[in-house]
Amino acid sequence: MKTETPNALHLSQGYIQITRKSLMVAASAAIMFGHIPLLASVAQAETVNITVPKAAVATAFNGALSSTKIHLHNLGPKNGTTWHKDASYILLPTGSKVPLPIPEYKYEINNIRHLKYYVNDLNTSSIQATVNGSRINVNANFESQGEEIKAKCVRRLAGKWGECSLDMERDIHLDNSILSISLNPVAYNGSISYGSPSTTFKTDLKIASKLCQAFKGICGWIEGKIKTQLTPTIESQVTKSFNDPKMKQAVANAVRNSPGISSLLKDWKVTKITSQGSNYIVTVDRPDQIDGSSVQKLSLTPTQKVVTSACPTTVKLDATIQMKHTVAGTGFLTYENGQKSNTFNWSAKKGQTVTSTVSRQFDGKPGSKNEGWGVMQVQWKGTDGKTYQEVSNKATFSVNCTLAAPGGIKL
């Protein structure tokens, strides 16, 4: 006759008594394993490093900045002798336009004749992001059509200023104009954006030789103005625009949705980026990815290798489980006689190695020597929806059933 105990899992013969520790096993009487749904595992965060090719990041930056345009134009309609009306801007990926103020440049030939220079309809034609060591270099190329620097001549006659009547080539061409923006990829609001933008503007000046000959020193003056005023103005204004949080966020959003990045980083939170050879090592916080490695080890050991007792008796087995992640699931035991226990629920915490004792009632004839064994199998559901399992070793033991003395007293 078998004895029932609280919190026992009832079997066709005997029972499993659960000792509750960090590994928790709950009773599920009269329900077999195949009919119990696997428990959902508790999601916890883990910090991992993901290898992302630098080329993929450059491609993502290309897509993020593809709609960025730079328009330089400060030549407005004539208003008397004034033509200056700044319409320069940078078009951000957000769709907003940020003004890029460009000054009017004046060359005083003498006290009665001046030349005024303006940037005329200078636009970027393409933007290309490439890898440059640990940084991403964005090159914005400008078109080279027409005369990018327009000159207006004014003179003072009879105390009044008016346009010069002298007909000569005064305009200037800017060829091979390129704006290089060096960006350092960084973690930004959980995605990848950039920090520390630095900008360099370079151009080749093409000045008419007759202009240089007609006005002594004008060509050197023009080159100086381009180098000391126009170039730093463009560089500082573009750098300022790239430091705008809205610009950085727009890039972060576009990079997050880039196919080459989203497939690697999914929706995980990016916390750090470091450069390593041809890759970036992207550190992310993500939920634990529950899979077949989440349970690292499952073992079953008899508390006593040989049990000598009147039968039926109790055989105790120590179940030890080593966890990589916090996991919840179901399990059961099978025995040497082909029987299987009822299913139990279990859960264990991340990084723990825990042991719980299960007890099995073992029947045997008085005076008999018996060999037995048990195997534990646990199952759990992964993050990918698949079912994983781990099977313990075969825990073997011996049971010596003692003889009963006359009068029913068991020895």
Side-chain angles (χ1 to χ4, degrees), residues 97-401:
K97 292 181 179 180
V98 178
L100 292 177
I102 303 296
E104 173 189 74
Y105 302 105
K106 183 171 66 174
Y107 178 75
E108 295 184 3
I109 301 170
N110 50 47
N111 60 356
I112 64 169
R113 190 183 299 272
H114 298 166
L115 290 177
K116 295 183 177 182
Y117 283 90
Y118 306 90
V119 180
N120 179 52
D121 201 24
L122 182 60
N123 299 287
T124 51
S125 57
S126 65
I127 289 184
Q128 181 69 36
T130 56
V131 177
N132 184 15
S134 63
R135 300 174 71 88
I136 299 295
N137 201 63
V138 179
N139 288 330
N141 295 288
F142 288 84
E143 61 189 10
S144 297
Q145 296 178 354
E147 294 149 334
E148 293 79 14
I149 303 293
K150 284 284 189 180
K152 297 294 182 181
C153 177
V154 294
R155 67 173 182 173
R156 187 171 57 188
L157 185 62
K160 294 183 179 180
W161 288 92
E163 284 195 68
C164 301
S165 59
L166 179 64
D167 184 18
M168 67 173 297
E169 177 64 36
R170 296 183 290 261
D171 297 335
I172 302 167
H173 294 273
L174 299 182
D175 294 334
N176 305 314
S177 299
I178 183 169
L179 184 70
S180 296
I181 309 159
S182 179
L183 305 173
N184 181 38
V186 298
Y188 192 85
N189 289 341
S191 182
I192 298 175
S193 190
Y194 61 86
S196 307
S198 62
T199 308
T200 303
F201 178 72
K202 293 182 179 180
T203 187
D204 295 331
L205 275 69
K206 186 178 180 181
I207 306 174
S209 59
K210 288 185 178 181
L211 179 65
C212 299
Q213 295 169 5
F215 303 107
K216 184 179 180 181
I218 191 173
C219 290
W221 176 88
I222 292 170
E223 291 178 359
K225 286 291 184 181
I226 295 296
K227 292 179 180 179
T228 62
Q229 292 190 29
L230 179 60
T231 292
T233 296
I234 294 173
E235 291 174 347
S236 63
Q237 293 298 332
V238 171
T239 299
K240 181 179 178 181
S241 296
F242 269 75
N243 272 320
D244 189 322
K246 292 181 180 179
M247 177 77 163
K248 293 181 179 180
Q249 188 60 57
V251 171
N253 294 341
V255 171
R256 165 69 71 190
N257 295 323
S258 172
I261 301 297
S262 62
S263 60
L264 293 175
L265 303 183
K266 306 185 187 302
D267 59 352
W268 303 327
K269 181 181 178 181
V270 177
T271 60
K272 183 180 178 182
I273 301 174
T274 55
S275 175
Q276 187 180 88
S278 61
N279 300 308
Y280 289 114
I281 305 302
V282 181
T283 303
V284 300
D285 286 342
R286 68 179 187 184
D288 288 343
Q289 302 302 287
I290 308 302
D291 54 22
S293 69
S294 296
V295 175
Q296 294 182 313
K297 184 178 180 181
L298 176 65
S299 62
L300 198 63
T301 306
T303 304
Q304 291 180 270
K305 288 286 292 183
V306 179
V307 178
T308 301
S309 173
C311 294
T313 188
T314 299
V315 175
K316 295 182 178 181
L317 303 172
D318 291 332
T320 299
I321 191 166
Q322 181 179 343
M323 304 304 301
K324 179 180 179 182
H325 302 123
T326 296
V327 177
T330 58
F332 61 88
L333 288 96
T334 53
Y335 305 112
E336 78 289 333
N337 58 6
Q339 293 181 345
K340 183 172 72 171
S341 74
N342 282 3
T343 299
F344 55 83
N345 295 332
W346 65 273
S347 65
K349 293 183 178 180
K350 181 177 181 176
Q352 288 187 333
T353 299
V354 292
T355 299
S356 292
T357 301
V358 297
S359 298
R360 172 195 176 191
Q361 181 173 295
F362 191 91
D363 289 328
K365 294 180 180 180
S368 64
K369 294 184 178 181
N370 307 275
E371 301 295 327
W373 55 262
V375 173
M376 179 179 283
Q377 178 176 322
V378 295
Q379 293 186 339
W380 64 96
K381 184 170 288 187
T383 308
D384 55 8
K386 296 180 181 179
T387 297
Y388 295 93
Q389 68 176 23
E390 185 74 18
V391 180
S392 76
N393 59 293
K394 183 185 289 186
T396 59
F397 54 87
S398 298
V399 178
N400 297 325
C401 295

